[in-house]
Amino acid sequence: TMSFNSSSLLNDENSQGPEGNTERLEGLELQPPASFQDNPLQQLQLASQEVLEKAKKSGRSKCPRCSSSRMFYCYTCFVPVETVPTKEIPTVKLPLKIDIIKHPNETDGKSTAVHAKLLAPDDVTVYKYPCIPEYEEKRHEIALIFPGPNSVAVKDIASHLQKYSKKGVCGNDDDCSGEPFLKQAKIEPKEEEKNLNECVSGNRSEGTRLKKIIFIDSTWNQTNKIITDERLQGLLQIELKTRKTCFWRHQKGKPDTYLSTIEAIYYFLVDYHQEVLKETYQGQYDNLLFFFSFMYTLIRNAKCCTGKE
């Protein structure tokens, strides 16, 4: 059975209104939370959000590409609106590439996946299912964030990719009944030892061999169609299970370890930085939550003011 301890999945299907995250924020006042418990995101090292405060006060603005009326950014064109100059939005450089596979029924305005594309445009690509890449030839350097019986922790990525690259024949560590990996040319013992040493070294570019991570942007109930796609079979699956969501649109009846897309991306990168790259984390990816933290504070304060919390 599949583990339900955690997931990067994703956005709440029970939210009211089609316009999503940004469309109901115009009347909200931004107030500093009373304590860390009121806002667990307040310790992030973020760029100034003054540009978002100004944009909220001025109301909706046009997308410079499609001219649609939006708050903060256009969630179909992946660009800030006219009242949010691109130069005032932080840019985050990631240690690997990210593919986000979006379910076709996932409402654009509800998804936090767009935040990643806006803030890390050079490293993030968003695909709308079923139009996704073929990953088969790169299985030894790609992983998928998804909980399951064979999913592993972030800290174990390097050793498992090592097995994938070395064996090249088994989708699961101990069970070879699944779809086989692409066969690889026979490696001489000395060369094999050399490759193994490279794989377990601490070298950033060659040690982990991980070059891309895939996230599914969907509600839990919509996920099965994507995760069973043959193009995703055989990929190493990673599970995130130690974080709790701050998402205001949490999936009803699901554990609080079910994260929104942008939270899953952020927490994966923090763990990857510390546990795989073995480097001290100093807020390098905090700005991925630039929009998320702003909206979180607005919505939480609004709920407090109306007596819902």
Side-chain angles (χ1 to χ4, degrees), residues 221-256:
N221 293 335
Q222 294 172 339
T223 302
N224 188 62
K225 185 176 181 179
I226 297 178
I227 196 63
T228 55
D229 190 289
E230 62 179 9
R231 290 167 291 183
L232 299 180
Q233 302 311 300
L235 293 174
L236 177 65
Q237 292 186 3
I238 310 299
E239 183 170 11
L240 307 175
K241 56 184 178 182
T242 62
R243 315 286 188 170
K244 293 184 178 181
T245 186
C246 291
F247 198 29
W248 48 90
R249 189 177 290 114
H250 181 60
Q251 294 189 55
K252 186 176 181 180
K254 302 301 182 183
D256 57 6

Side-chain angles (χ1 to χ4, degrees), residues 158-192:
S159 61
H160 282 271
L161 283 181
Q162 166 199 328
K163 296 175 186 176
Y164 275 34
S165 181
K166 180 171 176 284
K167 293 181 181 180
V169 294
C170 183
N172 301 326
D173 290 341
D174 300 311
D175 181 10
C176 290
S177 61
E179 179 185 355
F181 279 79
L182 290 177
K183 293 183 178 179
Q184 297 180 339
K186 184 177 180 181
I187 301 175
E188 294 300 322
K190 289 184 178 179
E191 184 180 351
E192 183 178 22

Side-chain angles (χ1 to χ4, degrees), residues 110-214:
K110 293 180 181 180
S111 173
T112 61
V114 61
H115 298 180
K117 182 62 179 174
L118 283 161
L119 297 164
D122 295 337
D123 297 318
V124 175
T125 305
V126 180
Y127 297 95
K128 181 169 286 190
Y129 188 82
C131 298
I132 66 174
E134 295 285 349
Y135 294 109
E136 189 174 41
E137 294 184 2
K138 300 290 186 180
R139 288 179 184 174
H140 59 285
E141 57 187 34
I142 298 175
L144 169 67
I145 299 294
F146 194 82
N150 298 308
S151 60
V152 304
V154 173
K155 64 181 177 63
D156 297 322
I157 288 176
S159 61
H160 282 271
L161 283 181
Q162 166 199 328
K163 296 175 186 176
Y164 275 34
S165 181
K166 180 171 176 284
K167 293 181 181 180
V169 294
C170 183
N172 301 326
D173 290 341
D174 300 311
D175 181 10
C176 290
S177 61
E179 179 185 355
F181 279 79
L182 290 177
K183 293 183 178 179
Q184 297 180 339
K186 184 177 180 181
I187 301 175
E188 294 300 322
K190 289 184 178 179
E191 184 180 351
E192 183 178 22
E193 183 178 353
K194 177 183 177 183
N195 289 345
L196 179 59
N197 290 336
E198 287 179 351
C199 213
V200 298
S201 71
N203 182 276
R204 180 170 184 155
S205 61
E206 294 183 325
T208 66
R209 301 285 180 113
L210 184 64
K211 295 183 179 179
K212 180 175 290 185
I213 191 79
I214 302 170

